[in-house]
Amino acid sequence: MSAADQIFAMLKESSQSGAPLYLQLRKSIEEAVNRGLIGPGDALPSERDIASKADISRVTVRKAVQDLVKGGLLVQRHGSGTFVAPRMERVEQSLSRLTSFTEDMARRGMSVRSVWLDRGLFAPSPDEMMVLGLSSTELVARVSRLRVANDTPLAIERAAISASVLPDPEAIGSSLYATLGLTGNRPVRAVQRISATNLGDSDARLLEVPPGVAGLHIERISYLASGKVIEFTRSVYRGDAYDFVAELRLTGPGEESRP
Ligand code: GLP
């Protein structure tokens, strides 16, 4: 049975529900995807095919499809049509190890690639001055990247490092931590703060998800053994891609629990 037939069969099942036609069609497409009748990455039949098979107007089909694109079940690629969104394999990330993105993905056998969004030396913002301990006459190196694993964009990371530590941001290859390690500046400790966020338009576009969907805002401040702050990174991660896992232990009597 073709995908259009599958959707039509679902639509016939729901046609007694009395709901508006576009909602019935939306539900039928959802059902067809949930039951695995059309799989992740499969092309959706054209608007015209669905409309003629189900004997409904193309406007109705468009409305149902647009709703599902907004909700993230379908993706539209310019010039090539509408597809069922690829299913995201969630990445489980321990919160007790100080690792780099490159190491995390390599451990899972995933290929890593970064798209440079920005890198250079700038006058520090008040936040950067405070966290990195810079004066207004010093410079900060900013390194912003879209991090992609196995061809799926997972995160946007915007790192700030004192220019005295990283005078040439252009020198970074694929890993920031590897570059810092070359001069003995790889962090050994970090404090990471994770909070919920809804992705704004431009971040959502880069991460290939609908605007407004749930994401994770992650701030990492990392330190050298001397206690000096080395990195101040603010990132946005896809909410559908990550599970952060922390091991918790009961603190013994007299033991102090500290962040
Ligand atoms: C993680 C951290 C970032 C850090 C990055 C370094 O993703 N959240 O704070 O800057 O790793 O990764 P890499 O060395 O691959 O550039």
Side-chain angles (χ1 to χ4, degrees), residues 22-23 25-27 29-30 44-45 47 50 57-78 81-83 209-211 213:
Y22 91 92
L23 283 181
L25 178 62
R26 194 179 79 184
K27 196 149 182 299
I29 300 174
E30 274 169 348
L44 197 74
E47 236 172 67
I50 301 179
S57 80
R58 285 177 69 168
V59 177
T60 304
V61 177
R62 193 165 311 143
K63 196 159 155 47
V65 168
Q66 284 314 327
D67 260 22
L68 292 168
V69 169
K70 252 192 238 147
L73 187 74
L74 302 177
V75 284
Q76 254 163 353
R77 301 207 187 100
H78 279 302
T82 306
F83 299 83
V209 291
V213 300

PDB file of all heavy atoms in Angstrom, residues 22-23 25-27 29-30 44-45 47 50 57-78 81-83 209-211 213:
ATOM      1  N   TYR A  22      -9.427  19.075   8.530  1.00  0.00           N
ATOM      2  CA  TYR A  22      -7.964  19.176   8.596  1.00  0.00           C
ATOM      3  C   TYR A  22      -7.434  18.516   9.866  1.00  0.00           C
ATOM      4  O   TYR A  22      -6.365  17.920   9.875  1.00  0.00           O
ATOM      5  CB  TYR A  22      -7.494  20.638   8.449  1.00  0.00           C
ATOM      6  CG  TYR A  22      -7.343  21.394   9.749  1.00  0.00           C
ATOM      7  CD1 TYR A  22      -6.123  21.422  10.420  1.00  0.00           C
ATOM      8  CD2 TYR A  22      -8.417  22.061  10.310  1.00  0.00           C
ATOM      9  CE1 TYR A  22      -5.981  22.098  11.609  1.00  0.00           C
ATOM     10  CE2 TYR A  22      -8.292  22.737  11.505  1.00  0.00           C
ATOM     11  CZ  TYR A  22      -7.069  22.751  12.155  1.00  0.00           C
ATOM     12  OH  TYR A  22      -6.941  23.403  13.336  1.00  0.00           O
ATOM     13  N   LEU A  23      -8.258  18.548  10.948  1.00  0.00           N
ATOM     14  CA  LEU A  23      -7.825  17.889  12.186  1.00  0.00           C
ATOM     15  C   LEU A  23      -7.848  16.366  12.018  1.00  0.00           C
ATOM     16  O   LEU A  23      -6.965  15.660  12.504  1.00  0.00           O
ATOM     17  CB  LEU A  23      -8.742  18.280  13.353  1.00  0.00           C
ATOM     18  CG  LEU A  23      -8.513  19.667  13.944  1.00  0.00           C
ATOM     19  CD1 LEU A  23      -9.473  19.931  15.102  1.00  0.00           C
ATOM     20  CD2 LEU A  23      -7.067  19.801  14.459  1.00  0.00           C
ATOM     21  N   LEU A  25      -7.402  14.819   9.209  1.00  0.00           N
ATOM     22  CA  LEU A  25      -6.271  14.457   8.360  1.00  0.00           C
ATOM     23  C   LEU A  25      -4.965  14.495   9.165  1.00  0.00           C
ATOM     24  O   LEU A  25      -4.119  13.608   9.059  1.00  0.00           O
ATOM     25  CB  LEU A  25      -6.182  15.412   7.158  1.00  0.00           C
ATOM     26  CG  LEU A  25      -4.999  15.147   6.232  1.00  0.00           C
ATOM     27  CD1 LEU A  25      -5.079  13.752   5.609  1.00  0.00           C
ATOM     28  CD2 LEU A  25      -4.908  16.197   5.132  1.00  0.00           C
ATOM     29  N   ARG A  26      -4.841  15.535  10.012  1.00  0.00           N
ATOM     30  CA  ARG A  26      -3.631  15.650  10.839  1.00  0.00           C
ATOM     31  C   ARG A  26      -3.473  14.397  11.696  1.00  0.00           C
ATOM     32  O   ARG A  26      -2.409  13.815  11.793  1.00  0.00           O
ATOM     33  CB  ARG A  26      -3.745  16.897  11.721  1.00  0.00           C
ATOM     34  CG  ARG A  26      -2.441  17.284  12.358  1.00  0.00           C
ATOM     35  CD  ARG A  26      -2.580  18.508  13.197  1.00  0.00           C
ATOM     36  NE  ARG A  26      -3.186  18.167  14.482  1.00  0.00           N
ATOM     37  CZ  ARG A  26      -3.508  19.070  15.398  1.00  0.00           C
ATOM     38  NH1 ARG A  26      -3.310  20.346  15.186  1.00  0.00           N
ATOM     39  NH2 ARG A  26      -4.037  18.689  16.537  1.00  0.00           N
ATOM     40  N   LYS A  27      -4.583  13.980  12.306  1.00  0.00           N
ATOM     41  CA  LYS A  27      -4.558  12.810  13.175  1.00  0.00           C
ATOM     42  C   LYS A  27      -4.211  11.549  12.363  1.00  0.00           C
ATOM     43  O   LYS A  27      -3.469  10.691  12.851  1.00  0.00           O
ATOM     44  CB  LYS A  27      -5.935  12.664  13.832  1.00  0.00           C
ATOM     45  CG  LYS A  27      -5.939  11.752  14.996  1.00  0.00           C
ATOM     46  CD  LYS A  27      -6.961  12.155  16.046  1.00  0.00           C
ATOM     47  CE  LYS A  27      -6.902  11.225  17.231  1.00  0.00           C
ATOM     48  NZ  LYS A  27      -7.201   9.825  16.913  1.00  0.00           N
ATOM     49  N   ILE A  29      -2.387  11.347   9.656  1.00  0.00           N
ATOM     50  CA  ILE A  29      -0.947  11.322   9.335  1.00  0.00           C
ATOM     51  C   ILE A  29      -0.165  10.923  10.591  1.00  0.00           C
ATOM     52  O   ILE A  29       0.737  10.087  10.543  1.00  0.00           O
ATOM     53  CB  ILE A  29      -0.476  12.689   8.772  1.00  0.00           C
ATOM     54  CG1 ILE A  29      -1.247  13.015   7.483  1.00  0.00           C
ATOM     55  CG2 ILE A  29       1.020  12.689   8.522  1.00  0.00           C
ATOM     56  CD1 ILE A  29      -0.983  14.393   6.893  1.00  0.00           C
ATOM     57  N   GLU A  30      -0.563  11.514  11.748  1.00  0.00           N
ATOM     58  CA  GLU A  30       0.116  11.154  13.010  1.00  0.00           C
ATOM     59  C   GLU A  30       0.015   9.650  13.269  1.00  0.00           C
ATOM     60  O   GLU A  30       0.998   9.000  13.615  1.00  0.00           O
ATOM     61  CB  GLU A  30      -0.543  11.898  14.188  1.00  0.00           C
ATOM     62  CG  GLU A  30       0.017  13.281  14.411  1.00  0.00           C
ATOM     63  CD  GLU A  30      -0.829  14.097  15.399  1.00  0.00           C
ATOM     64  OE1 GLU A  30      -1.965  13.673  15.736  1.00  0.00           O
ATOM     65  OE2 GLU A  30      -0.366  15.151  15.800  1.00  0.00           O
ATOM     66  N   LEU A  44       6.535  12.262   2.507  1.00  0.00           N
ATOM     67  CA  LEU A  44       5.075  12.286   2.582  1.00  0.00           C
ATOM     68  C   LEU A  44       4.567  12.419   1.138  1.00  0.00           C
ATOM     69  O   LEU A  44       5.181  13.104   0.338  1.00  0.00           O
ATOM     70  CB  LEU A  44       4.650  13.514   3.408  1.00  0.00           C
ATOM     71  CG  LEU A  44       3.234  13.501   3.942  1.00  0.00           C
ATOM     72  CD1 LEU A  44       3.145  12.519   5.105  1.00  0.00           C
ATOM     73  CD2 LEU A  44       2.832  14.892   4.419  1.00  0.00           C
ATOM     74  N   PRO A  45       3.452  11.765   0.797  1.00  0.00           N
ATOM     75  CA  PRO A  45       2.918  11.963  -0.555  1.00  0.00           C
ATOM     76  C   PRO A  45       2.664  13.444  -0.796  1.00  0.00           C
ATOM     77  O   PRO A  45       2.477  14.208   0.158  1.00  0.00           O
ATOM     78  CB  PRO A  45       1.599  11.191  -0.542  1.00  0.00           C
ATOM     79  CG  PRO A  45       1.626  10.332   0.671  1.00  0.00           C
ATOM     80  CD  PRO A  45       2.616  10.898   1.623  1.00  0.00           C
ATOM     81  N   GLU A  47       0.936  17.012  -1.705  1.00  0.00           N
ATOM     82  CA  GLU A  47      -0.346  17.615  -1.341  1.00  0.00           C
ATOM     83  C   GLU A  47      -1.438  17.166  -2.312  1.00  0.00           C
ATOM     84  O   GLU A  47      -2.542  16.809  -1.909  1.00  0.00           O
ATOM     85  CB  GLU A  47      -0.184  19.131  -1.484  1.00  0.00           C
ATOM     86  CG  GLU A  47      -0.501  19.927  -0.264  1.00  0.00           C
ATOM     87  CD  GLU A  47      -0.113  21.372  -0.515  1.00  0.00           C
ATOM     88  OE1 GLU A  47      -0.734  22.039  -1.370  1.00  0.00           O
ATOM     89  OE2 GLU A  47       0.834  21.792   0.149  1.00  0.00           O
ATOM     90  N   ILE A  50      -2.485  13.459  -1.805  1.00  0.00           N
ATOM     91  CA  ILE A  50      -3.331  13.255  -0.615  1.00  0.00           C
ATOM     92  C   ILE A  50      -4.724  13.815  -0.885  1.00  0.00           C
ATOM     93  O   ILE A  50      -5.733  13.176  -0.602  1.00  0.00           O
ATOM     94  CB  ILE A  50      -2.726  13.918   0.649  1.00  0.00           C
ATOM     95  CG1 ILE A  50      -1.329  13.349   0.940  1.00  0.00           C
ATOM     96  CG2 ILE A  50      -3.626  13.721   1.869  1.00  0.00           C
ATOM     97  CD1 ILE A  50      -0.634  13.956   2.141  1.00  0.00           C
ATOM     98  N   SER A  57      -9.845  19.268  -0.155  1.00  0.00           N
ATOM     99  CA  SER A  57      -9.161  20.345  -0.872  1.00  0.00           C
ATOM    100  C   SER A  57      -7.685  20.405  -0.482  1.00  0.00           C
ATOM    101  O   SER A  57      -7.295  19.985   0.614  1.00  0.00           O
ATOM    102  CB  SER A  57      -9.831  21.687  -0.571  1.00  0.00           C
ATOM    103  OG  SER A  57      -9.373  22.158   0.671  1.00  0.00           O
ATOM    104  N   ARG A  58      -6.884  20.954  -1.396  1.00  0.00           N
ATOM    105  CA  ARG A  58      -5.443  21.077  -1.107  1.00  0.00           C
ATOM    106  C   ARG A  58      -5.189  22.035   0.046  1.00  0.00           C
ATOM    107  O   ARG A  58      -4.210  21.909   0.772  1.00  0.00           O
ATOM    108  CB  ARG A  58      -4.700  21.528  -2.366  1.00  0.00           C
ATOM    109  CG  ARG A  58      -4.571  20.370  -3.342  1.00  0.00           C
ATOM    110  CD  ARG A  58      -3.906  20.790  -4.620  1.00  0.00           C
ATOM    111  NE  ARG A  58      -2.504  21.118  -4.448  1.00  0.00           N
ATOM    112  CZ  ARG A  58      -1.665  21.280  -5.466  1.00  0.00           C
ATOM    113  NH1 ARG A  58      -2.093  21.145  -6.700  1.00  0.00           N
ATOM    114  NH2 ARG A  58      -0.409  21.589  -5.245  1.00  0.00           N
ATOM    115  N   VAL A  59      -6.081  23.019   0.197  1.00  0.00           N
ATOM    116  CA  VAL A  59      -5.925  23.977   1.309  1.00  0.00           C
ATOM    117  C   VAL A  59      -6.014  23.237   2.642  1.00  0.00           C
ATOM    118  O   VAL A  59      -5.228  23.473   3.570  1.00  0.00           O
ATOM    119  CB  VAL A  59      -7.020  25.071   1.228  1.00  0.00           C
ATOM    120  CG1 VAL A  59      -6.942  26.026   2.404  1.00  0.00           C
ATOM    121  CG2 VAL A  59      -6.942  25.806  -0.088  1.00  0.00           C
ATOM    122  N   THR A  60      -6.965  22.281   2.710  1.00  0.00           N
ATOM    123  CA  THR A  60      -7.130  21.495   3.941  1.00  0.00           C
ATOM    124  C   THR A  60      -5.876  20.657   4.199  1.00  0.00           C
ATOM    125  O   THR A  60      -5.375  20.580   5.328  1.00  0.00           O
ATOM    126  CB  THR A  60      -8.361  20.566   3.810  1.00  0.00           C
ATOM    127  OG1 THR A  60      -9.487  21.380   3.511  1.00  0.00           O
ATOM    128  CG2 THR A  60      -8.603  19.771   5.068  1.00  0.00           C
ATOM    129  N   VAL A  61      -5.352  20.056   3.126  1.00  0.00           N
ATOM    130  CA  VAL A  61      -4.142  19.232   3.285  1.00  0.00           C
ATOM    131  C   VAL A  61      -2.995  20.104   3.776  1.00  0.00           C
ATOM    132  O   VAL A  61      -2.283  19.761   4.720  1.00  0.00           O
ATOM    133  CB  VAL A  61      -3.753  18.556   1.934  1.00  0.00           C
ATOM    134  CG1 VAL A  61      -2.466  17.769   2.099  1.00  0.00           C
ATOM    135  CG2 VAL A  61      -4.872  17.663   1.442  1.00  0.00           C
ATOM    136  N   ARG A  62      -2.859  21.299   3.154  1.00  0.00           N
ATOM    137  CA  ARG A  62      -1.757  22.187   3.522  1.00  0.00           C
ATOM    138  C   ARG A  62      -1.837  22.576   4.995  1.00  0.00           C
ATOM    139  O   ARG A  62      -0.838  22.589   5.703  1.00  0.00           O
ATOM    140  CB  ARG A  62      -1.777  23.434   2.638  1.00  0.00           C
ATOM    141  CG  ARG A  62      -0.501  24.259   2.739  1.00  0.00           C
ATOM    142  CD  ARG A  62      -0.386  25.268   1.627  1.00  0.00           C
ATOM    143  NE  ARG A  62      -0.623  24.671   0.322  1.00  0.00           N
ATOM    144  CZ  ARG A  62      -1.262  25.281  -0.677  1.00  0.00           C
ATOM    145  NH1 ARG A  62      -1.715  26.507  -0.524  1.00  0.00           N
ATOM    146  NH2 ARG A  62      -1.439  24.681  -1.831  1.00  0.00           N
ATOM    147  N   LYS A  63      -3.047  22.855   5.458  1.00  0.00           N
ATOM    148  CA  LYS A  63      -3.224  23.279   6.853  1.00  0.00           C
ATOM    149  C   LYS A  63      -2.798  22.158   7.825  1.00  0.00           C
ATOM    150  O   LYS A  63      -2.090  22.397   8.798  1.00  0.00           O
ATOM    151  CB  LYS A  63      -4.705  23.636   7.077  1.00  0.00           C
ATOM    152  CG  LYS A  63      -4.978  24.444   8.323  1.00  0.00           C
ATOM    153  CD  LYS A  63      -6.324  25.159   8.157  1.00  0.00           C
ATOM    154  CE  LYS A  63      -7.043  25.508   9.421  1.00  0.00           C
ATOM    155  NZ  LYS A  63      -6.324  26.121  10.473  1.00  0.00           N
ATOM    156  N   ALA A  64      -3.205  20.927   7.502  1.00  0.00           N
ATOM    157  CA  ALA A  64      -2.845  19.790   8.371  1.00  0.00           C
ATOM    158  C   ALA A  64      -1.335  19.586   8.363  1.00  0.00           C
ATOM    159  O   ALA A  64      -0.704  19.397   9.417  1.00  0.00           O
ATOM    160  CB  ALA A  64      -3.552  18.526   7.877  1.00  0.00           C
ATOM    161  N   VAL A  65      -0.731  19.656   7.146  1.00  0.00           N
ATOM    162  CA  VAL A  65       0.707  19.417   7.030  1.00  0.00           C
ATOM    163  C   VAL A  65       1.491  20.516   7.762  1.00  0.00           C
ATOM    164  O   VAL A  65       2.435  20.236   8.509  1.00  0.00           O
ATOM    165  CB  VAL A  65       1.117  19.319   5.532  1.00  0.00           C
ATOM    166  CG1 VAL A  65       2.624  19.357   5.370  1.00  0.00           C
ATOM    167  CG2 VAL A  65       0.549  18.044   4.920  1.00  0.00           C
ATOM    168  N   GLN A  66       1.057  21.774   7.598  1.00  0.00           N
ATOM    169  CA  GLN A  66       1.757  22.886   8.261  1.00  0.00           C
ATOM    170  C   GLN A  66       1.744  22.711   9.777  1.00  0.00           C
ATOM    171  O   GLN A  66       2.725  22.967  10.461  1.00  0.00           O
ATOM    172  CB  GLN A  66       1.123  24.244   7.901  1.00  0.00           C
ATOM    173  CG  GLN A  66       1.468  24.758   6.510  1.00  0.00           C
ATOM    174  CD  GLN A  66       2.944  24.641   6.167  1.00  0.00           C
ATOM    175  OE1 GLN A  66       3.809  24.761   7.021  1.00  0.00           O
ATOM    176  NE2 GLN A  66       3.242  24.356   4.916  1.00  0.00           N
ATOM    177  N   ASP A  67       0.601  22.267  10.307  1.00  0.00           N
ATOM    178  CA  ASP A  67       0.484  22.023  11.751  1.00  0.00           C
ATOM    179  C   ASP A  67       1.516  20.990  12.217  1.00  0.00           C
ATOM    180  O   ASP A  67       2.142  21.141  13.263  1.00  0.00           O
ATOM    181  CB  ASP A  67      -0.910  21.437  12.048  1.00  0.00           C
ATOM    182  CG  ASP A  67      -1.855  22.494  12.568  1.00  0.00           C
ATOM    183  OD1 ASP A  67      -1.586  23.683  12.306  1.00  0.00           O
ATOM    184  OD2 ASP A  67      -2.848  22.127  13.229  1.00  0.00           O
ATOM    185  N   LEU A  68       1.673  19.938  11.415  1.00  0.00           N
ATOM    186  CA  LEU A  68       2.594  18.866  11.800  1.00  0.00           C
ATOM    187  C   LEU A  68       4.054  19.284  11.637  1.00  0.00           C
ATOM    188  O   LEU A  68       4.930  18.821  12.361  1.00  0.00           O
ATOM    189  CB  LEU A  68       2.296  17.605  10.978  1.00  0.00           C
ATOM    190  CG  LEU A  68       0.931  16.969  11.323  1.00  0.00           C
ATOM    191  CD1 LEU A  68       0.545  15.911  10.306  1.00  0.00           C
ATOM    192  CD2 LEU A  68       0.960  16.366  12.723  1.00  0.00           C
ATOM    193  N   VAL A  69       4.302  20.198  10.690  1.00  0.00           N
ATOM    194  CA  VAL A  69       5.663  20.732  10.540  1.00  0.00           C
ATOM    195  C   VAL A  69       5.981  21.570  11.770  1.00  0.00           C
ATOM    196  O   VAL A  69       7.053  21.455  12.365  1.00  0.00           O
ATOM    197  CB  VAL A  69       5.796  21.561   9.235  1.00  0.00           C
ATOM    198  CG1 VAL A  69       7.096  22.333   9.203  1.00  0.00           C
ATOM    199  CG2 VAL A  69       5.683  20.651   8.009  1.00  0.00           C
ATOM    200  N   LYS A  70       5.003  22.393  12.175  1.00  0.00           N
ATOM    201  CA  LYS A  70       5.205  23.242  13.362  1.00  0.00           C
ATOM    202  C   LYS A  70       5.461  22.400  14.597  1.00  0.00           C
ATOM    203  O   LYS A  70       6.280  22.725  15.445  1.00  0.00           O
ATOM    204  CB  LYS A  70       3.959  24.108  13.596  1.00  0.00           C
ATOM    205  CG  LYS A  70       4.195  25.560  13.271  1.00  0.00           C
ATOM    206  CD  LYS A  70       3.077  26.427  13.784  1.00  0.00           C
ATOM    207  CE  LYS A  70       2.454  27.183  12.621  1.00  0.00           C
ATOM    208  NZ  LYS A  70       1.041  27.425  12.758  1.00  0.00           N
ATOM    209  N   GLY A  71       4.764  21.273  14.698  1.00  0.00           N
ATOM    210  CA  GLY A  71       4.913  20.395  15.861  1.00  0.00           C
ATOM    211  C   GLY A  71       6.153  19.524  15.795  1.00  0.00           C
ATOM    212  O   GLY A  71       6.482  18.844  16.761  1.00  0.00           O
ATOM    213  N   GLY A  72       6.836  19.500  14.645  1.00  0.00           N
ATOM    214  CA  GLY A  72       8.102  18.766  14.558  1.00  0.00           C
ATOM    215  C   GLY A  72       7.975  17.334  14.047  1.00  0.00           C
ATOM    216  O   GLY A  72       8.967  16.638  13.928  1.00  0.00           O
ATOM    217  N   LEU A  73       6.739  16.866  13.765  1.00  0.00           N
ATOM    218  CA  LEU A  73       6.599  15.491  13.272  1.00  0.00           C
ATOM    219  C   LEU A  73       7.062  15.383  11.817  1.00  0.00           C
ATOM    220  O   LEU A  73       7.603  14.361  11.396  1.00  0.00           O
ATOM    221  CB  LEU A  73       5.133  15.031  13.377  1.00  0.00           C
ATOM    222  CG  LEU A  73       4.900  13.562  13.046  1.00  0.00           C
ATOM    223  CD1 LEU A  73       5.396  12.680  14.193  1.00  0.00           C
ATOM    224  CD2 LEU A  73       3.443  13.256  12.761  1.00  0.00           C
ATOM    225  N   LEU A  74       6.823  16.457  11.064  1.00  0.00           N
ATOM    226  CA  LEU A  74       7.243  16.481   9.658  1.00  0.00           C
ATOM    227  C   LEU A  74       8.269  17.590   9.459  1.00  0.00           C
ATOM    228  O   LEU A  74       8.278  18.560  10.221  1.00  0.00           O
ATOM    229  CB  LEU A  74       6.036  16.777   8.750  1.00  0.00           C
ATOM    230  CG  LEU A  74       4.839  15.819   8.820  1.00  0.00           C
ATOM    231  CD1 LEU A  74       3.721  16.304   7.903  1.00  0.00           C
ATOM    232  CD2 LEU A  74       5.236  14.392   8.444  1.00  0.00           C
ATOM    233  N   VAL A  75       9.125  17.410   8.460  1.00  0.00           N
ATOM    234  CA  VAL A  75      10.047  18.494   8.093  1.00  0.00           C
ATOM    235  C   VAL A  75       9.882  18.790   6.611  1.00  0.00           C
ATOM    236  O   VAL A  75       9.643  17.881   5.822  1.00  0.00           O
ATOM    237  CB  VAL A  75      11.543  18.155   8.371  1.00  0.00           C
ATOM    238  CG1 VAL A  75      11.881  18.256   9.832  1.00  0.00           C
ATOM    239  CG2 VAL A  75      11.913  16.782   7.843  1.00  0.00           C
ATOM    240  N   GLN A  76      10.026  20.092   6.286  1.00  0.00           N
ATOM    241  CA  GLN A  76       9.911  20.460   4.879  1.00  0.00           C
ATOM    242  C   GLN A  76      11.282  20.863   4.365  1.00  0.00           C
ATOM    243  O   GLN A  76      11.963  21.647   5.015  1.00  0.00           O
ATOM    244  CB  GLN A  76       8.930  21.630   4.734  1.00  0.00           C
ATOM    245  CG  GLN A  76       7.637  21.161   4.151  1.00  0.00           C
ATOM    246  CD  GLN A  76       6.485  22.109   4.341  1.00  0.00           C
ATOM    247  OE1 GLN A  76       6.578  23.107   5.038  1.00  0.00           O
ATOM    248  NE2 GLN A  76       5.380  21.785   3.710  1.00  0.00           N
ATOM    249  N   ARG A  77      11.697  20.281   3.259  1.00  0.00           N
ATOM    250  CA  ARG A  77      12.981  20.681   2.670  1.00  0.00           C
ATOM    251  C   ARG A  77      12.691  21.365   1.363  1.00  0.00           C
ATOM    252  O   ARG A  77      11.980  20.820   0.511  1.00  0.00           O
ATOM    253  CB  ARG A  77      13.866  19.460   2.422  1.00  0.00           C
ATOM    254  CG  ARG A  77      14.123  18.715   3.691  1.00  0.00           C
ATOM    255  CD  ARG A  77      15.426  17.942   3.683  1.00  0.00           C
ATOM    256  NE  ARG A  77      15.471  17.144   4.886  1.00  0.00           N
ATOM    257  CZ  ARG A  77      15.170  15.847   4.925  1.00  0.00           C
ATOM    258  NH1 ARG A  77      14.877  15.197   3.823  1.00  0.00           N
ATOM    259  NH2 ARG A  77      15.200  15.191   6.062  1.00  0.00           N
ATOM    260  N   HIS A  78      13.260  22.591   1.249  1.00  0.00           N
ATOM    261  CA  HIS A  78      12.979  23.369   0.047  1.00  0.00           C
ATOM    262  C   HIS A  78      13.331  22.609  -1.213  1.00  0.00           C
ATOM    263  O   HIS A  78      14.404  22.052  -1.331  1.00  0.00           O
ATOM    264  CB  HIS A  78      13.727  24.712   0.092  1.00  0.00           C
ATOM    265  CG  HIS A  78      12.978  25.690   0.938  1.00  0.00           C
ATOM    266  ND1 HIS A  78      11.686  26.044   0.655  1.00  0.00           N
ATOM    267  CD2 HIS A  78      13.307  26.328   2.080  1.00  0.00           C
ATOM    268  CE1 HIS A  78      11.255  26.885   1.578  1.00  0.00           C
ATOM    269  NE2 HIS A  78      12.226  27.073   2.465  1.00  0.00           N
ATOM    270  N   GLY A  81      10.418  18.544  -0.907  1.00  0.00           N
ATOM    271  CA  GLY A  81       9.140  18.056  -0.383  1.00  0.00           C
ATOM    272  C   GLY A  81       9.064  17.956   1.125  1.00  0.00           C
ATOM    273  O   GLY A  81       9.857  18.560   1.859  1.00  0.00           O
ATOM    274  N   THR A  82       8.113  17.159   1.594  1.00  0.00           N
ATOM    275  CA  THR A  82       7.851  17.030   3.042  1.00  0.00           C
ATOM    276  C   THR A  82       8.166  15.599   3.464  1.00  0.00           C
ATOM    277  O   THR A  82       7.814  14.649   2.783  1.00  0.00           O
ATOM    278  CB  THR A  82       6.363  17.354   3.312  1.00  0.00           C
ATOM    279  OG1 THR A  82       6.089  18.637   2.748  1.00  0.00           O
ATOM    280  CG2 THR A  82       6.058  17.397   4.787  1.00  0.00           C
ATOM    281  N   PHE A  83       8.846  15.475   4.612  1.00  0.00           N
ATOM    282  CA  PHE A  83       9.300  14.162   5.070  1.00  0.00           C
ATOM    283  C   PHE A  83       8.926  13.960   6.530  1.00  0.00           C
ATOM    284  O   PHE A  83       8.747  14.930   7.280  1.00  0.00           O
ATOM    285  CB  PHE A  83      10.832  14.063   4.964  1.00  0.00           C
ATOM    286  CG  PHE A  83      11.321  14.217   3.561  1.00  0.00           C
ATOM    287  CD1 PHE A  83      11.496  15.485   2.998  1.00  0.00           C
ATOM    288  CD2 PHE A  83      11.588  13.096   2.779  1.00  0.00           C
ATOM    289  CE1 PHE A  83      11.918  15.634   1.691  1.00  0.00           C
ATOM    290  CE2 PHE A  83      12.020  13.244   1.463  1.00  0.00           C
ATOM    291  CZ  PHE A  83      12.192  14.511   0.917  1.00  0.00           C
ATOM    292  N   VAL A 209      15.020  22.458  14.210  1.00  0.00           N
ATOM    293  CA  VAL A 209      13.798  22.107  14.945  1.00  0.00           C
ATOM    294  C   VAL A 209      12.827  23.284  14.811  1.00  0.00           C
ATOM    295  O   VAL A 209      13.252  24.398  14.493  1.00  0.00           O
ATOM    296  CB  VAL A 209      14.076  21.806  16.447  1.00  0.00           C
ATOM    297  CG1 VAL A 209      14.854  20.520  16.615  1.00  0.00           C
ATOM    298  CG2 VAL A 209      14.794  22.963  17.118  1.00  0.00           C
ATOM    299  N   PRO A 210      11.537  23.063  15.065  1.00  0.00           N
ATOM    300  CA  PRO A 210      10.596  24.179  14.941  1.00  0.00           C
ATOM    301  C   PRO A 210      10.868  25.241  16.002  1.00  0.00           C
ATOM    302  O   PRO A 210      11.235  24.903  17.132  1.00  0.00           O
ATOM    303  CB  PRO A 210       9.224  23.529  15.180  1.00  0.00           C
ATOM    304  CG  PRO A 210       9.445  22.061  15.072  1.00  0.00           C
ATOM    305  CD  PRO A 210      10.873  21.798  15.393  1.00  0.00           C
ATOM    306  N   PRO A 211      10.692  26.523  15.668  1.00  0.00           N
ATOM    307  CA  PRO A 211      10.922  27.590  16.645  1.00  0.00           C
ATOM    308  C   PRO A 211      10.027  27.396  17.863  1.00  0.00           C
ATOM    309  O   PRO A 211       8.894  26.933  17.734  1.00  0.00           O
ATOM    310  CB  PRO A 211      10.546  28.875  15.913  1.00  0.00           C
ATOM    311  CG  PRO A 211      10.181  28.491  14.536  1.00  0.00           C
ATOM    312  CD  PRO A 211      10.236  27.022  14.371  1.00  0.00           C
ATOM    313  N   VAL A 213      10.394  25.262  20.335  1.00  0.00           N
ATOM    314  CA  VAL A 213      10.384  23.960  21.023  1.00  0.00           C
ATOM    315  C   VAL A 213      11.325  24.001  22.237  1.00  0.00           C
ATOM    316  O   VAL A 213      12.168  24.885  22.361  1.00  0.00           O
ATOM    317  CB  VAL A 213      10.769  22.748  20.123  1.00  0.00           C
ATOM    318  CG1 VAL A 213       9.826  22.607  18.956  1.00  0.00           C
ATOM    319  CG2 VAL A 213      12.216  22.841  19.672  1.00  0.00           C
TER     320      VAL A 213
END
